Short mmCIF file of all heavy atoms in Angstrom, two decimals:
data_model
loop_
_atom_site.label_atom_id
_atom_site.label_comp_id
_atom_site.label_asym_id
_atom_site.label_seq_id
_atom_site.Cartn_x
_atom_site.Cartn_y
_atom_site.Cartn_z
N ALA A 118 89.39 102.49 117.81
CA ALA A 118 88.88 102.76 116.47
C ALA A 118 89.00 101.49 115.63
O ALA A 118 89.80 100.60 115.95
CB ALA A 118 89.64 103.91 115.80
N PHE A 119 88.21 101.42 114.56
CA PHE A 119 88.15 100.17 113.79
C PHE A 119 89.48 99.82 113.13
O PHE A 119 89.69 98.68 112.72
CB PHE A 119 87.05 100.26 112.73
CG PHE A 119 87.47 100.94 111.46
CD1 PHE A 119 87.82 100.19 110.34
CD2 PHE A 119 87.53 102.31 111.37
CE1 PHE A 119 88.23 100.81 109.16
CE2 PHE A 119 87.94 102.94 110.21
CZ PHE A 119 88.29 102.19 109.10
N LYS A 120 90.39 100.78 113.02
CA LYS A 120 91.65 100.48 112.33
C LYS A 120 92.47 99.43 113.06
O LYS A 120 93.31 98.77 112.45
CB LYS A 120 92.44 101.76 112.12
CG LYS A 120 91.73 102.69 111.15
CD LYS A 120 92.66 103.65 110.46
CE LYS A 120 91.94 104.40 109.35
NZ LYS A 120 90.92 105.35 109.85
N ASP A 151 94.02 108.39 113.69
CA ASP A 151 93.73 107.00 114.00
C ASP A 151 94.66 105.97 113.38
O ASP A 151 95.00 104.97 114.00
CB ASP A 151 92.29 106.67 113.58
CG ASP A 151 91.28 107.47 114.38
OD1 ASP A 151 91.56 107.73 115.56
OD2 ASP A 151 90.24 107.83 113.82
N PRO A 262 80.94 104.61 107.33
CA PRO A 262 81.58 105.94 107.33
C PRO A 262 82.88 105.88 106.54
O PRO A 262 83.75 105.05 106.85
CB PRO A 262 81.86 106.19 108.83
CG PRO A 262 80.90 105.29 109.55
CD PRO A 262 80.76 104.07 108.67
N SER A 263 83.02 106.72 105.52
CA SER A 263 84.11 106.51 104.57
C SER A 263 85.03 107.72 104.40
O SER A 263 84.58 108.86 104.40
CB SER A 263 83.56 106.17 103.19
OG SER A 263 82.94 104.91 103.24
N GLY A 264 86.31 107.43 104.24
CA GLY A 264 87.31 108.46 103.96
C GLY A 264 88.10 108.04 102.74
O GLY A 264 87.89 108.51 101.63
N ASN A 265 89.00 107.08 102.95
CA ASN A 265 89.85 106.59 101.88
C ASN A 265 89.21 105.41 101.13
O ASN A 265 89.82 104.81 100.27
CB ASN A 265 91.20 106.17 102.45
CG ASN A 265 92.34 106.61 101.56
OD1 ASN A 265 92.13 107.04 100.43
ND2 ASN A 265 93.54 106.47 102.05
N PHE A 266 87.97 105.05 101.50
CA PHE A 266 87.19 104.02 100.83
C PHE A 266 87.74 102.60 101.08
O PHE A 266 87.30 101.64 100.47
CB PHE A 266 87.11 104.30 99.32
CG PHE A 266 86.02 103.55 98.60
CD1 PHE A 266 84.69 103.80 98.86
CD2 PHE A 266 86.33 102.59 97.65
CE1 PHE A 266 83.69 103.11 98.21
CE2 PHE A 266 85.33 101.88 96.98
CZ PHE A 266 84.00 102.15 97.26
N GLY A 267 88.70 102.45 102.02
CA GLY A 267 89.25 101.13 102.30
C GLY A 267 88.24 100.23 102.97
O GLY A 267 88.05 99.07 102.59
N ASN A 268 87.56 100.78 103.97
CA ASN A 268 86.59 100.00 104.71
C ASN A 268 85.42 99.59 103.82
O ASN A 268 85.04 98.42 103.77
CB ASN A 268 86.12 100.86 105.90
CG ASN A 268 85.54 100.04 107.02
OD1 ASN A 268 85.51 98.81 106.97
ND2 ASN A 268 85.06 100.71 108.05
N SER A 317 88.70 111.97 110.67
CA SER A 317 89.34 110.83 110.00
C SER A 317 88.73 110.57 108.63
O SER A 317 89.18 109.68 107.91
CB SER A 317 89.24 109.58 110.87
OG SER A 317 89.85 109.83 112.10
N MET A 318 87.69 111.31 108.29
CA MET A 318 87.07 111.18 106.97
C MET A 318 87.34 112.41 106.12
O MET A 318 86.73 112.58 105.06
CB MET A 318 85.56 110.95 107.12
CG MET A 318 85.25 109.62 107.78
SD MET A 318 83.60 109.51 108.49
CE MET A 318 82.57 110.00 107.13
N ASP A 398 80.30 108.01 118.21
CA ASP A 398 81.29 109.04 117.88
C ASP A 398 80.84 109.77 116.61
O ASP A 398 79.94 109.31 115.91
CB ASP A 398 82.68 108.40 117.72
CG ASP A 398 82.98 108.11 116.28
OD1 ASP A 398 82.33 107.19 115.73
OD2 ASP A 398 83.82 108.81 115.68
N HIS A 400 82.07 110.04 113.62
CA HIS A 400 82.19 109.31 112.36
C HIS A 400 81.05 108.31 112.22
O HIS A 400 80.42 108.20 111.17
CB HIS A 400 83.54 108.57 112.27
CG HIS A 400 84.71 109.46 112.48
ND1 HIS A 400 85.11 109.86 113.73
CD2 HIS A 400 85.57 110.04 111.62
CE1 HIS A 400 86.17 110.66 113.61
NE2 HIS A 400 86.47 110.78 112.34
N THR A 423 82.92 103.13 113.74
CA THR A 423 84.34 103.21 113.40
C THR A 423 85.21 103.72 114.55
O THR A 423 86.43 103.59 114.49
CB THR A 423 84.58 104.07 112.14
OG1 THR A 423 83.98 105.34 112.32
CG2 THR A 423 84.01 103.40 110.91
N ALA A 424 84.62 104.33 115.56
CA ALA A 424 85.41 104.76 116.73
C ALA A 424 84.50 104.86 117.94
O ALA A 424 83.28 104.90 117.80
CB ALA A 424 86.09 106.10 116.47
C1 PLP B 501 89.94 105.82 109.03
C2 PLP B 501 88.62 106.15 109.59
C3 PLP B 501 87.48 106.27 108.77
C4 PLP B 501 87.53 106.13 107.26
O1 PLP B 501 87.85 104.83 106.85
P1 PLP B 501 88.35 104.54 105.35
O2 PLP B 501 88.75 103.13 105.33
O3 PLP B 501 89.50 105.48 105.12
O4 PLP B 501 87.22 104.85 104.44
C5 PLP B 501 86.24 106.52 109.38
N1 PLP B 501 86.14 106.68 110.71
C6 PLP B 501 87.22 106.58 111.54
C7 PLP B 501 87.03 106.78 112.99
C8 PLP B 501 88.48 106.32 111.01
O5 PLP B 501 89.55 106.24 111.83
#
Side-chain angles (χ1 to χ4, degrees):
F119 84 100
K120 293 205 171 69
D151 295 326
S263 292
N265 222 349
F266 197 66
N268 202 2
S317 302
M318 294 160 52
D398 96 290
H400 305 80
T423 54

